[in-house]
Amino acid sequence: MSTEPETAPPSPPLPKKRVAVVFVVAAVLWGIDLLTKQIAVSTLEGKQPVEFLGGLVYFQLVRNPGAAFSMATGLTWVLALVAAAVVVAIIWLSRRLRSTGWAIGLGLVLAGALGNLTDRIFRAPGPLQGHVVDMISAFAPNGQGWAIFNVADSAICVGGVLIVILSLLGKDYDGTSTKDKKKAATE
């Protein structure tokens, strides 16, 4: 019988940090959002909706003072502050990321928050009151089939869905799995 204490097996090395993934995804999508908004403003201003893909999508320019589905239209400055808080939170969390999936998801949400925050700061009627440029209407013009949205809104939704799926699968932002943690705790 040995009197030496049992030593736990060494833990596997942690995955690399994924900060760069967050910022590359955010920069690319933010750039696409800004570009598509500029194209929409320069080509769709004062024009009728443009049908695309046999009416599956319509392009039209709408300036939205509210949040999704035009909610909270009188609280534009609050929405700008919330977007700024989201940006700060994601930047703070990104230093701890070791999961590529989480990095992509948070990069998408960051891009969307930055895209709409840019509009709220720099577009008319003024700082923290700017209206977000929306230009995509699915299934029918004028948002009759679905709310009119933009690339930033899409990035937020896709990023959010990805994060929810990863959470449901037990994948944590730090590259570990809640299933592995539970298994190790029971051993």
Side-chain angles (χ1 to χ4, degrees), residues 9 14 33 44-45 58 72 100 120 180:
L14 290 172
D33 179 63
L44 298 173
E45 185 86 58
Y58 291 82
T100 302
R120 297 207 187 280
D180 293 341

Side-chain angles (χ1 to χ4, degrees), residues 146-161:
W146 187 256
I148 301 174
F149 59 96
N150 57 38
V151 172
D153 299 333
S154 298
I156 291 169
C157 291
V158 171
V161 167

Side-chain angles (χ1 to χ4, degrees), residues 15-158:
K16 289 181 180 179
K17 290 187 177 183
R18 304 293 181 207
V19 177
V21 175
V22 173
F23 293 110
V24 167
V25 168
V28 168
L29 266 293
W30 187 20
I32 292 169
D33 179 63
L34 294 174
L35 178 64
T36 57
K37 288 175 179 175
Q38 188 56 43
I39 291 169
V41 168
S42 65
T43 61
L44 298 173
E45 185 86 58
K47 296 187 177 167
Q48 293 296 315
V50 177
E51 183 179 321
F52 187 67
L53 296 174
L56 186 61
V57 175
Y58 291 82
F59 295 110
Q60 69 183 108
L61 182 67
V62 174
R63 296 177 192 272
N64 181 0
F69 304 100
S70 295
M71 294 185 299
T73 55
L75 299 172
T76 304
W77 66 275
V78 173
L79 297 172
L81 294 177
V82 168
V86 168
V87 168
V88 169
I90 291 173
I91 291 170
W92 179 81
L93 181 62
S94 69
R95 299 176 299 139
R96 297 187 168 126
L97 284 174
R98 293 184 183 276
S99 163
T100 302
W102 271 84
I104 292 168
L106 288 174
L108 289 166
V109 174
L110 179 60
L114 286 169
N116 288 338
L117 181 60
T118 301
D119 283 358
R120 297 207 187 280
I121 292 171
F122 296 109
R123 294 204 187 266
L128 298 180
Q129 297 175 13
H131 296 179
V132 172
V133 171
D134 290 330
M135 79 288 288
I136 304 166
S137 182
F139 312 119
N142 305 312
Q144 295 168 338
W146 187 256
I148 301 174
F149 59 96
N150 57 38
V151 172
D153 299 333
S154 298
I156 291 169
C157 291
V158 171

